[in-house]
Amino acid sequence: MMTRMRFVAATVLSVLIVGCAGPTANAPSATPLASTIASSSAPSSSAAATQATTAALACTAPAAALVELTEGPYYKANPPQNATLRTAGVAGTPLTLTGNVVSQSCQPIANAKLDFWQADGNGNYDNSGYTLRGWLLTDANGAYRLETVIPGLYPGRTEHIHFKVTVNGTTYTSQLFFPGVSQNEGDSIYSAQMLVKLNTATSPVTGTFTFVVKA
């Protein structure tokens, strides 16, 4: 009996050594062992969901962090928590903007704070109230959804939406821009890296943007 137990123990140890060191030209096929490991270490449903979300972001690590740009003169502190900035009577083409906040390794960031402010479709800011101003938090998958309008032009500026994104106490300030606007190239603040991906074939118009931060 003792001899048999020693033989079994030696066999198990041999299999473990082959599994850790990897297959060699003279080693037996490790396929059965690899299959067992893959089965026993399959990701949990939560991990699988995170992986699926990350894949859906079309994000390639290490991703380039967003370009920080000037806050501008029209920011107002203490805006309301509001993901629906578009209200009846506000000028501008309706826009639904969605996306995610992620790290440079493409991991979704939950509870990131996104603070938006912008002009209406005529290029006018509400500086006495909080029209087209508000903030929201990303969900467990780092996703956000904003209901707003495409901002209009005003002298010296192309179409843009201001934002601040706050993650773990660090705030990044920048602006989003829109493709196909002739004034983009003449705008001294414009950054092609901050372009929204726009789909004008939908109603309302939809846009996507992934906020990549250094967190």
Side-chain angles (χ1 to χ4, degrees):
M1 176 65 72
M2 185 62 70
T3 299
R4 178 177 177 80
M5 290 177 63
R6 288 175 179 171
F7 174 76
V8 171
T11 301
V12 171
L13 180 60
S14 175
V15 170
L16 289 175
I17 290 173
V18 170
C20 294
T24 65
N26 298 322
S29 171
T31 301
L33 180 61
S35 299
T36 301
I37 293 174
S39 175
S40 63
S41 61
S44 65
S45 57
S46 176
T50 299
Q51 291 172 2
T53 299
T54 303
L57 300 177
C59 178
T60 303
L66 60 84
V67 176
E68 294 189 72
L69 299 171
T70 179
E71 178 182 283
Y74 299 125
Y75 176 69
K76 288 184 65 176
N78 304 313
Q81 182 175 4
N82 185 13
T84 304
L85 306 186
R86 182 175 69 241
T87 55
V90 173
T93 301
L95 169 68
T96 299
L97 183 65
T98 60
N100 297 77
V101 176
V102 302
S103 68
Q104 287 186 282
S105 60
C106 298
Q107 295 305 305
I109 300 175
N111 294 314
K113 182 180 180 181
L114 282 166
D115 184 350
F116 297 97
W117 70 102
Q118 65 171 91
D120 65 14
N122 295 324
N124 299 316
Y125 284 85
D126 176 12
N127 292 315
S128 59
Y130 287 95
T131 301
L132 294 176
R133 299 172 183 270
W135 63 271
L136 56 87
L137 296 176
T138 57
D139 66 15
N141 294 317
Y144 71 89
R145 179 185 178 90
L146 180 73
E147 303 286 345
T148 187
V149 298
I150 295 177
L153 301 167
Y154 61 88
R157 290 307 316 274
T158 189
E159 297 175 0
H160 63 283
I161 295 177
H162 293 270
F163 70 87
K164 293 178 181 287
V165 54
T166 302
V167 175
N168 297 327
T170 300
T171 298
Y172 308 86
T173 301
S174 192
Q175 301 175 28
L176 298 176
F177 301 97
F178 296 85
V181 181
S182 61
Q183 287 86 345
N184 282 348
E185 296 305 323
D187 190 308
S188 61
I189 302 173
Y190 170 76
S191 170
Q193 190 172 321
M194 302 305 295
L195 275 174
V196 169
K197 292 182 179 179
L198 211 59
N199 183 357
T200 58
T202 59
S203 182
V205 172
T206 56
T208 59
F209 188 84
T210 298
F211 296 91
V212 181
V213 299
K214 298 175 183 178

